[in-house]
Structure formats: structure tokens, C-alpha cells
Amino acid sequence: MANQNKTPLSLDMKEVVIIKPSKPTPCEILSLSTIDNDLNLNILCQTIYVYQANHDFPNGKVELDPAYVIKEALSKALVYYYPLAGKIITFDDGKLGINCNADGVPFLEATANCELSSLHYLEGIDVPTAQKLVFDNPSQEETSPHPLVFKVTKFLCGGFTIGMGLSHTVCDGFGASQVYRALAELASGKSEPSVKPVWERERLVGKVLKEPLQFPIDKTSMAISPFWPITEISHECFNLSGESIQRLKMKLMKESDSVKESFTTLETLGAYVWRSRARALKLSTEGKTLFCLAVGVRHLLDPPLPDGYYGNAFVASNVVLTVKELNAKPLSEVVKLIKENKKLPCNTEYVKYSINMLETMRKENFRVEGTGASMVLTDWRQLGLLEEVDFGWKASVNIVPVPWNMFGYVDLCLFLPPSKLDPSRKGGVRIFVSLPKASMPKFKEEMEALKLMRGDEGST
């Protein structure tokens, strides 16, 4: 994420305002699920949505101020999503909950000194610049943080960005997209959201396991990187074309004669990035490395969760190999392992055990620390935010996640759809990674090799 801008971004900011629900809402204390209570999720996830100026407003209709439109819509949305107008609290037993007190959502409005095009609509934006476009929540470290914050920045061209900070304790990616879509629907004139929110966090509450915790890898067996402890982190976004991905798939399908199903983009790229990270980090060959895929379980439960459920609803699908195995195996074999293990959450007993394990970890105050030996992959490509969400300025042209301090940044990897700025990138994938700065050149080398790969080359 290294966009070299000639003019530094400067913002003229208004005072913070608090947006409250437009109608009275229930005053209550709500509990959260076991997955919501995962200690690793207790962070504010900041995402920036980029909108170009809309010069196609109907004749006679004045172009509205986006900040005003979004504030009005947020006030209406909080009637339905009233827990987001409350505060996150900690109960005596250490569990988290929501005090639904209608305190409201902090909202910051800013005006930039440039046009969005000068920042390339945030494509390849550097992290310090991106951080200026989100609400720096000073209460994030406090015991009662706001679960939702907003910052709208208007640019000289008429375009704008929406920086939404949402607590991962309250929503996962799917839930966040539901909240955002409701906001857009109300902003565009609908009287109510098409999907009504459902709380029902008690559906995903686990029990403490009687047997000792068993982890896929532990401190004695995990691979070690010479880049630890980290002195400086580099955050990068890599654009891969649909053609590059297809060539890799075809190559791996040829390499594997026995596979009965085709390889998906998630499985194929997941395997390639996992191996590339291990090489870039120079992980010790005899140590173990973990590939962890976040798999949504909304429709896998019996009965399924209702459509409006917006809490965390995913479990981990894990693959463990030694670094030597990851490097030596044909990549098609690694893809097969990911494919097989991805099916585990289809078993409701597996989901139940995963939630019980999380409850046990919470009870024992066990937090997963980032070490580089693990790669946690989250796929945002199916959330539909670039295609569907329209505030009256047409759909956003770009979405940029500001790096999250989850597992110390480095163990987390995000797959996103390409921005809509370049039509030729349709079908491609953006890969967001954070690595020790000294290891990033090798990872870039691996990504370049993928772009140059031919489908008829030998084993990968």
C-alpha cells in the first residue's frame, strides 16, 4: 500500500457529533455469543469506502451533501441496529455485552485539500494516509468503547470516502456488510431495511470442555522466523488478474490427476500465499505452520441462523504441515488438504466443538499471539459491497481495509475483490498482507512469479 502522492493529504475537520437513533429504542443489556467473546476479536475494524462524484442527479434535484445524507440515514438505521448506539461493557465474569443506552455513534466530518483522483481513489494508498480517513477512536482502549464510529471525508471533486469503524466483537464481515447495506438503503430513500436485524447471540454460546485444550500447533512445535521479534511492519496490497489465477488453477489441475472436483480461487490462492509467506518469513523447516480459514456457518447450523443475524458466525478450518512438507509437496496436494478441511464446518458437531473450544479459551484467558507460523485467511469477495451498496452516488469504486491489529497484524491475510477503477481487473483478487519489512521483498518476488507463470509449466 505505497501510493506516492506529491501533495500530502490535509484535512479540515469539524467537531465530532454524536448521532442518536431517530426514535426511542429499547434500553437493555444484551449478552454476546462465545464467538463474539473471542479475545482476538475485541478490536475496532476500520474500512474505507470510496465514492466518485455523481453528476447524474435528476434534473431539478440538487446534489446533496453526503455527510448530511449519511448522518440522517445512520440515525434511522440505529432504530433497527440500536445495540450499535450503545457501549460495549464487561460483565463480572469477564464476558462482554452491550449496554443499549442510545448514547449514540461518534461521527466526524472532514474536507480534503485535493481531488480523489490525485490519491488514485485510494488504490495502493499508504497506511498513514488511509488512517487519516477513519475515525481515530480515542476510547478504543477503554472498558466501554463505542461499537461503531464514522468519518465522512469530502474531496474537491465532489467525491467522498466513508470510514466505518465497527467492533469485530459485535459483527463479522457478513454482519458488517448487512449493517452497511441497511444504511445505504435508508440513505437512498427506503423506509426500512430490506433485511431486519436479529440478535439471537444465545444460539452460539458454548460450554467449557472437560478435557484439556488441544491446539493444532503449540510453542514447542511451531516454526520460527528469524524476523521475530518484528521491528517494522510493511503493509501491502497485491492485485492478481483473473488470467493469472486461472493459469495457476489449470496448472494445478494438470499436476493432480486424482482430483474429482475443480479447485476454487480461495483454495488455490490460499495455498500459494501460505507457501509464499512461509518462504518470505524463512520459517524453520522442521517446525509446523498453520493455515487457518475462517468459514461462515450461518447456513450450516441446524436450524440455520436467521437472515438478519449480524453477529460473528464463523469457525476455523485448519491445515497443519511442517514447513518442509509445505515446500516439498506439489502445491496441488496442499490445495486438496485445504479443500478437504474446508468441509469440516459442514458437520454441526465440529461447529459445536469449535465454539466449546473458544469458550474454554475465554475461561482460561488464553489469547492467540501472532508468531508468523500461522496464516489466518478471511475472504471478503462474497460480501457484495462493491456491487450493491448505493447511497445515491452509485456503488463505491473501491474498498480499503485499514490494517487491523489482530494476531499482531502479521498472521492475518485478506482477500478482496478488485476495485472498479480498472475494468480489466474484473475477476481478479486483491491480497492484503502485513509482514516484517525485511521479509516483504521475498513475498513480492513470489507474487511476481505468479503473475509471470504459464499454465503449461512443470510442477509448482
Side-chain angles (χ1 to χ4, degrees):
M1 299 176 75
N3 192 348
Q4 302 302 319
N5 305 309
K6 293 178 182 177
T7 308
L9 174 65
S10 175
L11 300 179
D12 178 25
M13 286 188 279
K14 292 188 175 182
E15 292 291 317
V16 176
V17 296
I18 302 297
I19 308 299
K20 295 179 180 284
S22 60
K23 296 178 183 176
T25 55
C27 184
E28 58 187 347
I29 303 288
L30 293 174
S31 59
L32 291 159
S33 76
T34 291
I35 307 178
D36 297 332
N37 268 285
D38 183 345
L39 294 171
N40 298 292
L41 300 184
N42 193 10
I43 57 170
L44 197 68
C45 294
Q46 300 271 18
T47 308
I48 306 168
Y49 303 83
V50 183
Y51 290 84
Q52 291 176 315
N54 183 6
H55 301 299
D56 299 327
F57 272 79
N59 288 335
K61 186 176 179 181
V62 179
E63 184 168 348
L64 297 170
D65 173 16
Y68 173 80
V69 170
I70 293 161
K71 280 190 280 191
E72 289 292 301
L74 178 58
S75 182
K76 294 173 185 174
L78 291 175
V79 174
Y80 300 92
Y81 290 91
Y82 63 88
L84 299 181
K87 291 276 185 68
I88 298 174
I89 57 172
T90 305
F91 297 115
D92 292 340
D93 62 0
K95 289 184 179 181
L96 299 173
I98 301 280
N99 178 10
C100 302
N101 55 9
D103 260 12
V105 172
F107 189 102
L108 188 54
E109 185 180 338
T111 304
N113 64 334
C114 61
E115 298 191 352
L116 267 170
S117 59
S118 70
L119 299 177
H120 305 288
Y121 299 93
L122 308 199
E123 189 72 356
I125 197 77
D126 61 277
V127 172
T129 303
Q131 286 172 332
K132 291 181 180 180
L133 299 172
V134 296
F135 192 111
D136 182 16
N137 184 15
S139 66
Q140 190 176 354
E141 302 302 321
E142 296 175 12
T143 52
S144 296
H146 293 277
L148 179 63
V149 295
F150 269 90
K151 183 172 184 176
V152 172
T153 304
K154 295 177 283 188
F155 288 79
L156 299 178
C157 54
F160 62 96
T161 60
I162 301 174
M164 183 170 82
L166 189 53
S167 171
H168 208 325
T169 291
V170 183
C171 296
D172 60 8
F174 190 91
S177 69
Q178 180 183 311
V179 172
Y180 197 74
R181 194 169 286 111
L183 190 64
E185 288 176 339
L186 293 167
S188 63
K190 290 191 176 178
S191 59
E192 58 182 24
S194 56
V195 177
K196 301 295 191 304
V198 176
W199 192 254
E200 288 190 20
R201 304 299 169 102
E202 69 281 356
R203 289 278 309 273
L204 297 178
V205 173
K207 297 177 181 176
V208 175
L209 295 167
K210 292 176 182 175
E211 61 270 21
L213 281 173
Q214 289 186 318
F215 297 102
I217 57 174
D218 55 37
K219 286 184 178 179
T220 58
S221 64
M222 71 172 59
I224 300 167
S225 169
F227 299 109
W228 246 257
I230 303 172
T231 54
E232 194 174 354
I233 296 177
S234 178
H235 307 283
E236 293 284 348
C237 170
F238 296 90
N239 274 290
L240 287 178
S241 68
E243 292 78 14
S244 295
I245 298 165
Q246 192 58 32
R247 284 197 300 269
L248 178 61
K249 283 184 191 176
M250 296 306 297
K251 180 176 174 180
L252 297 182
M253 292 294 287
K254 286 178 186 174
E255 187 180 280
S256 171
D257 298 326
S258 60
V259 71
K260 295 176 183 175
E261 304 171 77
S262 61
F263 294 155
T264 68
T265 295
L266 178 65
E267 296 154 1
T268 307
L269 270 189
Y272 189 90
V273 172
W274 182 24
R275 191 183 65 181
S276 298
R277 284 180 79 264
R279 290 175 175 176
L281 290 166
K282 296 182 179 176
L283 293 177
S284 52
T285 55
E286 301 303 324
K288 290 181 179 178
T289 175
L290 168 74
F291 175 90
C292 173
L293 179 65
V295 179
V297 297
R298 279 171 166 73
H299 303 297
L300 300 179
L301 295 170
D302 186 19
L305 290 173
D307 284 345
Y309 189 89
Y310 62 105
N312 290 285
F314 62 89
V315 296
S317 161
N318 299 321
V319 179
V320 177
L321 293 172
T322 66
V323 176
K324 183 189 270 186
E325 288 172 328
L326 180 58
N327 271 313
K329 281 179 180 288
L331 196 62
S332 57
E333 294 299 314
V334 180
V335 176
K336 284 184 199 175
L337 288 171
I338 292 173
K339 179 180 279 292
E340 282 307 306
N341 284 39
K342 205 172 76 172
K343 297 172 185 173
L344 288 173
C346 294
N347 182 328
T348 52
E349 288 304 310
Y350 178 88
V351 174
K352 194 181 297 182
Y353 177 81
S354 298
I355 294 172
N356 289 344
M357 188 171 176
L358 280 175
E359 183 64 29
T360 309
M361 289 168 67
R362 188 204 62 78
K363 188 82 173 174
E364 296 183 8
N365 201 30
F366 183 91
R367 190 180 189 129
V368 177
E369 300 293 339
T371 64
S374 302
M375 172 177 146
V376 180
L377 176 58
T378 299
D379 186 7
W380 279 19
R381 292 172 306 132
Q382 309 308 320
L383 299 182
L385 289 171
L386 278 171
E387 289 77 27
E388 303 166 26
V389 182
D390 180 1
F391 282 84
W393 282 264
K394 300 180 182 177
S396 60
V397 294
N398 204 0
I399 298 176
V400 179
V402 179
W404 310 338
N405 188 8
M406 188 184 289
F407 317 114
Y409 293 107
V410 171
D411 284 6
L412 186 65
C413 177
L414 296 178
F415 283 4
L416 266 75
S419 72
K420 297 178 89 173
L421 301 165
D422 183 352
S424 70
R425 286 185 176 164
K426 191 172 183 181
V429 176
R430 283 185 294 166
I431 302 171
F432 286 82
V433 295
S434 300
L435 290 172
K437 189 173 184 179
S439 69
M440 191 59 86
K442 175 60 178 172
F443 189 82
K444 287 182 178 179
E445 194 181 295
E446 292 280 327
M447 291 296 105
E448 283 304 311
L450 177 54
K451 291 177 184 178
L452 298 172
M453 181 185 293
R454 298 200 317 269
D456 57 353
E457 286 179 356
S459 62
T460 308

